Amino acid sequence: MLRHALTLNPKLSKGWIHLGIEGGGTVAGVEFSEVECYAKALAADPESAQGWLNLGVLGGGPVAGAQLSEVECYQRCLTLDPERSAGWFNLGVEGGGVVGGVDNSKAECYQ
């Protein structure tokens, strides 16, 4: 059902996120990895905090022609949703980073 929905509407961001969570899969005869699913989700909706978080968990990846690190993905996630605790935790694991113009240390990410 999910793959059929993505075949009919390849800009269905949440569908790509769910396929990524499933570990990737085949849509319209083309195989997509987890990273590719999240990249497709973010191409369809660059405002998806969940898409940025999930891509970060996989180590980052290519979005809109740029290769983004996991830290950059977490920063984008938290810029969109500063209350997302998993984003803060993961950014802390990576040593912290800048969110909303504020440089957050590892310890500050865990607060």
Side-chain angles (χ1 to χ4, degrees):
M1 186 88 146
L2 174 60
R3 287 160 181 79
H4 181 68
L6 288 169
T7 299
L8 294 175
N9 183 1
K11 294 191 182 271
L12 190 61
S13 179
K14 288 183 181 181
W16 287 110
I17 289 172
H18 286 290
L19 189 60
I21 290 168
E22 291 179 5
T26 304
V27 175
V30 178
E31 185 70 27
F32 293 92
S33 69
E34 291 170 272
V35 168
E36 290 169 325
C37 289
Y38 297 131
K40 295 282 275 181
L42 292 165
D45 180 12
E47 303 293 307
S48 171
Q50 187 66 52
W52 287 113
L53 177 66
N54 292 8
L55 186 60
V57 168
L58 293 177
V63 177
Q67 181 68 31
L68 300 172
S69 70
E70 54 199 307
V71 168
E72 291 169 312
C73 292
Y74 298 141
Q75 289 169 324
R76 289 184 186 211
C77 166
L78 292 167
T79 297
L80 294 165
D81 183 2
E83 300 299 316
R84 192 169 291 255
S85 59
W88 285 110
F89 179 83
N90 291 348
L91 187 61
V93 168
E94 297 305 318
V98 177
V99 176
V102 177
D103 193 5
N104 299 276
S105 69
K106 178 178 184 170
E108 289 168 324
C109 291
Y110 295 136
Q111 293 178 351

